[in-house]
């Protein structure tokens, strides 16, 4: 396990001791990038957990994890991998939870291999694929939060505030 993160406020439903979002990645080498997803979830105080598991190197760990995630209270899974990036697809094959895939930037093909491996799922087993690298990691977390926000007004409010802050920054940007 890379990191287990819990929320600070026990009052709220989204901050129960259970993780609502699981972030999984094929290798510890993905963590530098995937930290952006965990940090974003932390910023929104969404209970989450992060683990390393591989579709190729530890296939039974990946399938066991995905097969039990729903019963443990997880509502969205973010899965990141690079190269022949099958992790998100394998996870999605073992659960009906929404799975968001993040292609890692690879040495050989700059992440194009990861992108195509993650995005080109056959009809019937969906993986919502985000951008390559850190932007994808951040956006996977934001999308997970948007999914959770359906039925959680306090999260919806935070998302609106986040968007408003972004817009304010752009509006206030001055060039030399
Ligand atoms: C994938 O292979 C991982 O997701 C990682 O992006 C890539 C390289 O892994 P390491 O060789 O760095 O462990 O499974």
């Amino acid at each position: 396990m890379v990191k287990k993160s819990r929320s600070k406020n026990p009052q709220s439903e989204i901050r129960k001791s259970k993780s609502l979002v699981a972030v999984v990645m094929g290798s510890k080498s993905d963590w530098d990038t995937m930290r952006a997803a965990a940090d974003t979830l932390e910023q929104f105080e969404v209970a989450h957990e992060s683990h390393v598991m591989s579709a190729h190197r530890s296939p039974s760990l990946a399938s066991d994890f995905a097969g039990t995630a729903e019963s443990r209270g997880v509502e969205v899974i973010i899965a990141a991998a690079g190269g022949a990036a099958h992790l998100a697809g394998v996870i999605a094959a073992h659960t009906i939870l929404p799975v968001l895939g993040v292609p890692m930037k690879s040495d050989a093909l700059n992440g194009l291999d990861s992108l195509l491996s993650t995005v080109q799922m056959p009809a019937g087993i969906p993986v919502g694929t985000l951008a390559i690298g850190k932007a994808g990691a951040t956006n996977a977390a934001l999308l997970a939060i948007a999914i959770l926000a359906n039925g959680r007004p306090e999260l919806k409010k935070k998302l609106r505030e986040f968007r408003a802050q972004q817009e304010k920054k752009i509006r206030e940007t001055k060039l030399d």
Side-chain angles (χ1 to χ4, degrees):
M1 191 196 316
V2 176
K3 182 184 177 194
K4 185 99 182 162
S5 199
R6 300 286 192 211
S7 127
K8 289 149 201 160
N9 183 348
Q11 305 282 321
S12 160
E13 193 210 342
I14 60 162
R15 300 168 198 154
K16 281 190 287 200
S17 59
K18 280 192 273 187
S19 292
L20 291 175
V21 180
V23 180
V24 299
M25 64 213 80
S27 168
K28 194 172 179 185
S29 64
D30 300 326
W31 180 232
D32 259 1
T33 305
M34 291 314 294
R35 212 185 280 278
D39 288 349
T40 303
L41 293 164
E42 196 75 44
Q43 188 188 330
F44 280 81
E45 296 182 289
V46 169
H48 61 282
E49 59 192 46
S50 301
H51 309 278
V52 172
M53 63 190 64
S54 166
H56 307 114
R57 293 167 175 160
S58 66
S60 54
L61 175 61
S63 60
D64 288 352
F65 179 85
T68 57
E70 190 185 352
S71 64
R72 292 187 293 105
V74 171
E75 294 189 25
V76 184
I77 300 177
I78 296 172
H86 297 131
L87 183 60
V90 166
I91 295 281
H94 289 91
T95 181
I96 58 163
L97 293 175
V99 176
L100 307 179
V102 185
M104 295 293 92
K105 194 164 183 180
S106 57
D107 289 339
L109 296 171
N110 262 336
L112 187 58
D113 44 355
S114 323
L115 173 65
L116 297 178
S117 310
T118 306
V119 79
Q120 287 292 27
M121 288 296 290
I125 306 292
V127 167
T129 304
L130 284 300
I132 297 168
K134 261 188 190 153
T138 301
N139 280 345
L142 289 171
L143 192 51
I145 292 161
I147 292 167
L148 295 172
N150 287 317
R152 291 183 173 94
E154 62 181 283
L155 258 191
K156 229 171 216 180
K157 187 167 168 263
K158 281 185 186 176
L159 266 178
R160 290 212 170 90
E161 285 164 4
F162 174 81
R163 293 281 183 101
Q165 275 306 316
Q166 277 192 146
E167 180 170 351
K168 187 167 175 276
K169 258 193 217 161
I170 295 290
R171 285 179 181 276
E172 290 172 356
T173 302
K174 300 231 179 331
L175 302 175
D176 301 330

